[in-house]
Amino acid sequence: MMDWTDRHCRFFHRRLTAHALLYTEMITAEAVLHGDRQRLLGFSPEEHPVALQLGGSDPARLAAAAAIGAAWGYDEINLNVGCPSDRVQEGRFGACLMAEPELVADCVAAMRTCVTVPVTVKCRIGIDNQDSEQDLERFVAAVAGAGCRTFIVHARKAWLQGLSPKANREVPPLDHARVYRLKVAHPELEIVINGGIGSLNEAQAHLAHVDGVALGRAAYQNPYLLAEVDRRLFGAAATPPSRRDAIEALLPYALRHIAAGGRLNNIARHVLGLYHGQPRARAFRRHLSERAPRDGAGIAVLQEALQLVDGAPTAAMLAAE
Ligand SMILES: Cc1cc2nc3c(=O)[nH]c(=O)nc-3n(C[C@H](O)[C@H](O)[C@H](O)COP(=O)(O)O)c2cc1C
């Protein structure tokens, strides 16, 4: 999610779930081709499985960017056909491409010739006045015809004019049943539902109708819900990590990041919601949001926050005594 998630967020989320597929925020093909690739594409091996999401509409340039992403080790290349921001529309990519199924098909076909990992598409159920069942069917049929097997479908349309990206995630009504019907019409495709899914109970209910569930805001704002994903959705036997385990597993990573010249807050900002709904969550959050951005902040800030929320010192604190 642009401006929210990044490699540090994924590393943290991976402390909570081994199996969920994690996505990068959308990165434009042009940025991949011309930008600082280490900054844009770099990730830790521990983040696997991880998908690179690209934005663009030029088949050759998307194909070149996909090849670069695959060479960097991404497990999937995803094309964004769901973002409604003005900036993105000016570049003629994101959700406005739902009006051009043939072009999206050409993009997917070109990307697939350059990579062996899956090329997938994230889209909406419609845009503007092209939001009928037939419009969605036309789009999916064309793009599937180019070899896309997996569609992640945000179950609300986007209005391309007059609504901010934020409003476009809230105002158009959710229509999960539309996505279920897409799966009925295309049993051969992997259909992943997205939009407004706030708990694993809801996720499990959706899985009776579709192949997968994509969580956006809920996973970011309440990351601990990821801790039960492996057991409940993937049938894994492992005991879920505690919140404390997740932070303690992050400490060596944060130390390395700071030693390499990074700031604690690059990592700590993703942890703010970890105790969402728990006693003393506010003290935890306040400590991190006040102290982690300061110059020279070290991992002690994370350890102190942990102590504030559940009292016990961390293993590293005890070792230092
Ligand atoms: C701050 C923010 C940034 C987002 N950036 C992206 C993005 O880069 N690519 C994308 O496919 N969706 C992006 N989204 C949309 C989410 O992936 C998701 O489709 C949407 O929020 C609905 O799902 P949710 O209700 O689970 O959050 C973003 C959402 C938010 C809140």
Side-chain angles (χ1 to χ4, degrees):
M1 291 184 282
M2 280 187 284
D3 301 326
W4 285 21
T5 64
D6 57 17
R7 61 182 294 179
H8 306 305
C9 180
R10 294 192 302 270
F11 188 94
F12 167 54
H13 285 181
R14 189 58 78 212
R15 302 309 95 212
L16 296 162
T17 164
H19 295 291
L21 175 62
L22 301 176
Y23 282 81
T24 69
E25 70 281 25
M26 180 177 71
I27 304 175
T28 66
E30 295 309 309
V32 171
L33 296 177
H34 305 298
D36 174 350
R37 289 188 195 152
Q38 179 56 41
R39 184 178 62 78
L40 293 163
L41 299 179
F43 68 96
S44 307
E46 295 91 335
E47 288 168 45
H48 285 294
V50 57
L52 169 66
Q53 188 184 67
L54 293 175
S57 59
D58 181 307
R61 302 181 86 71
L62 276 168
I68 292 167
W72 274 74
Y74 284 95
D75 301 295
E76 171 183 319
I77 308 292
N78 175 266
L79 179 64
N80 183 313
V81 188
C83 178
S85 89
D86 290 346
R87 204 160 32 111
V88 162
Q89 282 181 58
E90 278 163 24
R92 194 169 158 236
F93 54 88
C96 64
L97 289 178
M98 291 207 70
E100 300 187 69
E102 304 307 332
L103 176 58
V104 177
D106 289 348
C107 292
V108 165
M111 292 159 84
R112 289 187 68 239
T113 61
C114 291
V115 301
T116 52
V117 295
V119 173
T120 65
V121 165
K122 166 120 180 290
C123 64
R124 298 269 185 155
I125 54 172
I127 49 167
D128 297 338
N129 295 320
Q130 296 180 42
D131 66 346
S132 68
E133 206 113 350
Q134 293 84 333
D135 290 321
L136 181 61
E137 171 54 31
R138 203 163 59 88
F139 176 80
V140 168
V143 178
C148 177
R149 307 320 301 156
T150 303
F151 291 80
I152 299 113
V153 188
H154 183 173
R156 50 164 69 87
K157 67 182 284 185
W159 286 105
L160 297 182
Q161 246 76 62
L163 282 191
S164 69
K166 184 166 188 294
N168 257 317
R169 292 190 290 264
E170 289 161 6
V171 174
L174 282 164
D175 187 352
H176 291 133
R178 173 79 67 92
V179 184
Y180 298 169
R181 291 197 295 276
L182 184 63
K183 175 66 193 177
V184 171
H186 290 278
E188 77 286 6
L189 298 178
E190 183 178 52
I191 302 294
V192 177
I193 197 166
N194 167 247
I197 301 164
S199 70
L200 296 193
N201 284 342
E202 290 172 43
Q204 273 179 319
H206 287 298
L207 286 173
H209 304 275
V210 290
D211 304 296
V213 173
L215 301 177
R217 289 164 290 189
Y220 191 81
Q221 289 160 350
N222 180 17
Y224 196 66
L225 73 74
L226 295 174
E228 283 282 350
V229 161
D230 290 355
R231 194 158 67 177
R232 288 185 57 183
L233 304 187
F234 290 92
T239 313
S242 66
R243 293 175 173 83
R244 164 175 284 268
D245 292 339
I247 295 211
E248 290 194 333
L250 205 54
L251 295 177
Y253 178 82
L255 259 183
R256 287 199 301 278
H257 176 67
I258 294 166
R263 297 179 71 87
L264 177 69
N265 202 41
N266 300 148
I267 298 166
R269 73 189 189 98
H270 303 300
V271 175
L272 295 177
L274 183 62
Y275 282 83
H276 179 90
Q278 296 296 299
R280 305 193 55 74
R282 201 188 304 176
F284 174 84
R285 195 183 180 94
R286 191 187 315 126
H287 189 81
L288 284 185
S289 52
E290 282 177 11
R291 308 277 172 106
R294 293 184 186 168
D295 286 342
I299 62 162
V301 174
L302 279 169
Q303 295 172 312
E304 289 153 12
L306 207 45
Q307 202 167 11
L308 272 176
V309 77
D310 73 3
T314 66
M317 283 171 120
L318 289 171
E321 275 173 7

